[in-house]
Amino acid sequence: MKTQHYRFTLLLLAAFFITNLSFAQRDRDEDKGDEFHLDKVYEMSATGTLNLNTEDADVRIVGSNRSDVHVKIDRVVTSRGVSSRSRSFDVDVENRNGDLFIRENKGRSRGFIGVGYFRTDYDILIELPEGASLNVRGEDDDYYVKNVNGTIEMETEDGDIELVDCNGDDFEFILEDGDLKLDGGKGKFYARLDDGDIDMVNGAFDNVEIQVEDGSVTMETGIVDNGIYDIRADDARIDFVVLSGGGDFRVTKDDGRVRATSDFETIRENDYRSELKLAGGKADVQIRTNDGSVRLSKR
């Protein structure tokens, strides 16, 4: 009896394998596509917040003098050969009390995974009022943001973020291995990165807090009296360029090194701490690094 049951099980497995192999052979040279497209206009307050939650998209957000929000999403999944059918995909868009919420809605995967070619092209364009704020949560997305002047909070894993002409006064970024570029900005700036790089130019910040591990920090900003600037790094390279103002600079280091242009006066120096002063103001600048390097200059 056990032998018959064993043979019957083998026959079922063989039939399953032959059936799937037949389907695999049939689909081996066929292109399969799965598309989602959205192109609509939504209401949002001129100073409302865009709440965006996506994954693996190339996102472009542009502010202007418009009074509504234009959302254009194009997502095309292409597979060739034997591959799993993609998960069902949709996007929920909702206006709530003047804020706009955009969130992906994905179902479970269908089919089985085999050997083949699989590609996703996923682009998002959002045009919104320039006074709007952003609350963005992503996973491996890349972002380009221009002329958005409200509060900006963005969090992603391995994606890159670039901001241009965003003249708000409150910025917060959390990234893992991505890079952050910022042209302009003032007020408060907070960033936490693992292995990514920060490249900031034309800033006018009075409160800066940066935490980074193995990346690099290039920061060009004016510093103001009583302003607080705190940079903590592990093996990172830090290049701090003062555009205006002055103050006290304290660098704590382990095996790192500190270099400064002649604009800075060295007050105290030893193997683990450097204290310098830049005439022209009373800002407080603290930099902590282990094995990294620090360069201070004035433009």
Side-chain angles (χ1 to χ4, degrees), residues 3 21-22 42 53 121 223 227 229:
T3 302
L21 182 61
S22 175
Y42 300 89
N53 192 318
D121 295 300
I223 58 178
Y229 306 86

Side-chain angles (χ1 to χ4, degrees), residues 189 191 198 200 208-212 216-221 228-234 236-241 249-252 284-290 293-296:
F189 178 89
I198 296 178
M200 177 197 302
V208 172
E209 182 180 354
I210 295 175
Q211 302 175 40
V212 62
S216 65
V217 177
T218 300
M219 184 169 65
E220 299 181 2
T221 183
I228 298 175
Y229 306 86
D230 189 353
I231 303 176
R232 283 168 280 175
D234 191 0
R237 177 181 60 83
I238 300 171
D239 190 355
F240 196 114
V241 182
F249 289 73
R250 290 185 290 276
V251 182
T252 304
D284 181 21
V285 181
Q286 298 189 49
I287 301 175
R288 302 173 180 86
T289 183
N290 290 330
S293 63
V294 178
R295 183 178 184 275
L296 306 175

Side-chain angles (χ1 to χ4, degrees), residues 8 15-16 28 35 40 46 51 73 109 114 119 133 139 143 169 174 176 179 202 213 217 229 238 244 260 292:
F8 180 71
F16 177 79
R28 186 174 303 278
E35 299 188 13
K40 291 186 178 180
N51 298 269
I73 301 177
S109 296
R119 171 177 171 174
S133 296
E139 183 179 336
Y143 300 93
D169 57 9
I174 299 176
E176 290 189 7
D179 297 331
N202 300 320
E213 291 188 8
V217 177
Y229 306 86
I238 300 171
S244 62

Side-chain angles (χ1 to χ4, degrees), residues 32 105 110:
K32 296 176 291 184
N105 182 13
R110 305 187 303 273

Side-chain angles (χ1 to χ4, degrees), residues 36-276:
F36 175 88
H37 300 283
L38 174 69
D39 191 349
K40 291 186 178 180
V41 173
Y42 300 89
E43 294 182 356
M44 188 178 84
S45 170
T47 56
T49 299
L50 170 68
N51 298 269
L52 179 65
N53 192 318
T54 58
E55 181 180 339
D56 294 327
D58 289 324
V59 183
R60 183 179 179 89
I61 303 174
V62 180
S64 67
N65 60 357
R66 65 184 302 136
S67 59
D68 52 20
V69 182
H70 174 219
V71 179
K72 188 175 188 300
I73 301 177
D74 296 293
R75 185 179 186 271
V76 179
V77 179
T78 306
S79 61
R80 181 178 178 84
V82 184
S83 60
S84 67
R85 296 179 63 190
S86 62
R87 290 180 290 178
S88 59
F89 179 90
D90 199 359
V91 175
D92 295 327
V93 183
E94 180 185 3
N95 183 298
R96 243 186 280 160
N97 299 321
D99 298 335
L100 193 67
F101 294 78
I102 303 175
R103 184 181 183 88
E104 291 181 5
N105 182 13
K106 292 182 177 180
R108 295 181 178 179
S109 296
R110 305 187 303 273
F112 68 96
I113 297 177
V115 178
Y117 168 82
F118 187 86
R119 171 177 171 174
T120 301
D121 295 300
Y122 187 10
D123 298 296
I124 298 175
L125 170 63
I126 300 175
E127 298 170 300
L128 74 176
E130 60 189 5
S133 296
L134 300 182
N135 186 350
V136 175
R137 298 292 182 270
E139 183 179 336
D140 304 333
D141 306 74
D142 291 327
Y143 300 93
Y144 175 84
V145 182
K146 182 176 182 179
N147 199 36
V148 178
N149 300 323
T151 298
I152 295 180
E153 298 181 13
M154 304 181 71
E155 180 176 350
T156 186
E157 291 188 7
D158 298 329
D160 299 328
I161 298 175
E162 180 177 3
L163 275 71
V164 178
D165 295 332
C166 294
N167 297 310
D169 57 9
D170 194 347
F171 299 83
E172 180 175 322
F173 305 96
I174 299 176
L175 299 87
E176 290 189 7
D177 299 327
D179 297 331
L180 171 62
K181 293 183 178 181
L182 181 68
D183 187 348
K186 61 184 184 297
K188 180 182 178 182
F189 178 89
Y190 172 85
R192 188 177 79 235
L193 291 80
D194 286 342
D195 299 327
D197 300 331
I198 296 178
D199 187 1
M200 177 197 302
V201 297
N202 300 320
F205 293 96
D206 54 34
N207 190 320
V208 172
E209 182 180 354
I210 295 175
Q211 302 175 40
V212 62
E213 291 188 8
D214 299 326
S216 65
V217 177
T218 300
M219 184 169 65
E220 299 181 2
T221 183
I223 58 178
V224 300
D225 289 354
N226 303 316
I228 298 175
Y229 306 86
D230 189 353
I231 303 176
R232 283 168 280 175
D234 191 0
D235 297 328
R237 177 181 60 83
I238 300 171
D239 190 355
F240 196 114
V241 182
V242 180
L243 300 180
S244 62
D248 297 320
F249 289 73
R250 290 185 290 276
V251 182
T252 304
K253 59 187 187 297
D254 189 358
D255 295 328
R257 58 174 181 157
V258 179
R259 295 180 297 161
T261 62
S262 59
D263 302 290
F264 293 79
E265 177 187 359
T266 300
I267 305 301
R268 188 173 293 105
E269 175 78 31
N270 59 41
D271 291 340
Y272 304 103
R273 186 178 177 88
S274 298
E275 297 183 14
L276 304 97

